[in-house]
């Protein structure tokens, strides 16, 4: 059985096919132009210097930007303010920067695994701003979204609220918290593409997503870097608009802070 179309219908179908092919060609061209990939860690960290404020993602030692931290330690820049959930351990993560006396101020919510951090804090060598964990995450997210500040009940009635504006909302007291301001955000993702789209895995989704786009420049290191367009859009956690530079990381140790196993029988 054959179908015969009027000439005007055939013309419309032909034009639609041509439009679709042109659209797809244009999209491929646009995708190829959005290339945020850098070929070296040196290029990824271009512009970092003394007295800057950095955000560093991860939870404990999970999902930390290992390559970026190692390069910061190698560069030896000093008087840094670091915003991170925790401060690594003595010989790994942010502990490397602490050993080198590169950090002037640490903004964290948990610092219990680092003896050098404790020593510097108690001796007065290191300025420390302890922040409730949820507040720290939200201050990053507020910066990402462009909100200058927000109110939260966390910390009311404690030293956390000292010197801050207090306001009553529906009979409950809230503390005004300001969004963070940072020069660079260093994050680590499981997979990303050349356009900067990121997919995180497991606990690495703590803090890393909130820090993307929360600083002037966001640098993402990934375990697997693929060409733009290869990631399933439904699996992407952070769109590339929040990332300025992306590179393929290497030699990840993925240490465990406290390894606890069952005794053998």
């Amino acid at each position: 059985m054959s179908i015969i179309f009027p000439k005007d219908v055939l013309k419309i179908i032909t034009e639609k096919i041509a439009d679709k092919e042109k659209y797809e060609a244009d999209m491929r061209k646009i995708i190829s132009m959005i290339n945020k990939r850098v070929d070296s860690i040196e290029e990824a960290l271009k512009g970092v210097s003394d007295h800057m404020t950095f955000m560093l993602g991860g939870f404990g030692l999970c999902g930390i930007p290992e390559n970026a931290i190692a390069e910061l330690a190698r560069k030896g820049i000093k008087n840094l303010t670091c915003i991170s959930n925790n401060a690594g351990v003595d010989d790994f993560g942010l502990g490397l920067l602490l050993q080198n006396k590169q950090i002037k101020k640490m903004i964290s919510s948990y610092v219990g695994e680092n003896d050098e951090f404790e020593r510097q804090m108690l001796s007065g060598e290191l300025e420390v701003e302890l922040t409730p964990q949820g507040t720290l995450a939200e201050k990053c997210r507020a910066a990402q979204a462009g909100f200058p500040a927000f109110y939260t009940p966390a910390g009311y009635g404690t030293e956390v609220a000292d010197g801050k504006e207090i306001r009553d909302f529906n009979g409950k007291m809230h503390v005004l918290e300001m969004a963070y301001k940072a020069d660079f955000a260093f994050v680590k993702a499981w997979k990303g593409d050349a356009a900067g789209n990121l997919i995180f895995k497991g606990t690495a989704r703590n803090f890393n997503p909130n820090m993307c786009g929360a600083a002037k420049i966001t640098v993402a290191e990934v375990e697997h870097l693929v060409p733009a367009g290869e990631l399933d859009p439904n699996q992407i956690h952070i769109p590339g608009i929040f990332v300025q530079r992306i590179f393929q990381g290497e030699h990840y140790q993925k240490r465990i802070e406290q390894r606890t196993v069952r005794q053998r029988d």
Side-chain angles (χ1 to χ4, degrees), residues 93-227:
L94 284 179
L96 297 174
L97 304 187
L98 286 168
Q99 283 185 343
N100 294 345
K101 308 290 182 64
Q102 293 175 255
I103 302 177
K104 176 187 68 175
K105 180 178 180 180
M106 192 74 216
I107 301 174
S108 299
S109 70
Y110 175 72
V111 295
E113 304 293 337
N114 194 313
D115 292 335
E116 178 61 18
F117 180 99
E118 180 182 10
R119 189 197 67 77
Q120 290 187 27
M121 180 177 71
L122 294 178
S123 68
E125 299 174 43
L126 179 69
E127 184 180 350
V128 177
E129 182 179 312
L130 293 177
T131 304
Q133 196 169 72
T135 301
L136 192 149
E138 186 63 14
K139 289 178 77 157
C140 293
R141 195 194 69 81
Q144 178 193 69
F147 299 142
F150 61 92
Y151 286 96
T152 174
Y156 172 71
T158 72
E159 291 183 9
V160 170
D162 287 352
K164 298 176 182 176
E165 180 184 330
I166 307 297
R167 188 170 175 182
D168 185 326
F169 289 95
N170 300 318
K172 191 171 186 178
M173 304 307 291
H174 289 67
V175 181
L176 180 66
E177 295 284 359
M178 307 302 292
Y180 288 132
K181 294 180 180 180
D183 298 291
F184 280 83
F186 299 106
V187 302
K188 190 258 181 177
W190 171 61
K191 184 180 285 189
D193 66 16
N197 299 303
L198 303 176
I199 298 175
F200 300 95
K201 209 170 189 180
T203 308
R205 289 185 69 180
N206 286 307
F207 295 98
N208 274 307
N210 285 11
M211 291 182 176
C212 292
K216 295 176 183 176
I217 297 176
T218 296
V219 180
E221 58 180 85
V222 298
E223 295 182 44
H224 307 283
L225 184 56
V226 300

Side-chain angles (χ1 to χ4, degrees), residues 6-165:
K7 288 184 178 180
D8 56 342
V9 175
L10 286 172
K11 181 181 178 182
I12 292 173
I13 293 174
T14 302
E15 289 176 350
K16 289 294 184 183
I17 293 174
D19 288 344
K20 183 175 183 295
E21 291 175 347
K22 182 178 183 301
Y23 170 78
E24 291 177 347
D26 289 343
M27 289 305 298
R28 285 193 296 270
K29 183 178 179 181
I30 290 171
I31 289 174
S32 67
M33 292 170 61
I34 305 174
N35 185 8
K36 301 179 180 180
R37 177 174 183 166
V38 294
D39 295 325
S40 67
I41 184 68
E42 293 80 11
E43 188 178 354
L45 269 63
K46 183 179 179 181
V48 299
S49 63
D50 297 345
H51 304 286
M52 281 190 166
T53 297
F54 298 151
M55 291 181 172
L56 300 107
F59 187 82
L61 298 181
C62 179
I64 65 173
E66 295 181 28
N67 288 251
I69 293 173
E71 179 64 13
L72 289 171
R74 188 192 69 79
K75 282 182 173 295
I77 56 176
K78 296 184 180 296
N79 294 313
L80 303 175
T81 297
C82 291
I83 302 168
S84 179
N85 178 61
N86 52 285
V89 293
D90 287 333
D91 62 344
F92 190 62
L94 284 179
L96 297 174
L97 304 187
L98 286 168
Q99 283 185 343
N100 294 345
K101 308 290 182 64
Q102 293 175 255
I103 302 177
K104 176 187 68 175
K105 180 178 180 180
M106 192 74 216
I107 301 174
S108 299
S109 70
Y110 175 72
V111 295
E113 304 293 337
N114 194 313
D115 292 335
E116 178 61 18
F117 180 99
E118 180 182 10
R119 189 197 67 77
Q120 290 187 27
M121 180 177 71
L122 294 178
S123 68
E125 299 174 43
L126 179 69
E127 184 180 350
V128 177
E129 182 179 312
L130 293 177
T131 304
Q133 196 169 72
T135 301
L136 192 149
E138 186 63 14
K139 289 178 77 157
C140 293
R141 195 194 69 81
Q144 178 193 69
F147 299 142
F150 61 92
Y151 286 96
T152 174
Y156 172 71
T158 72
E159 291 183 9
V160 170
D162 287 352
K164 298 176 182 176
E165 180 184 330

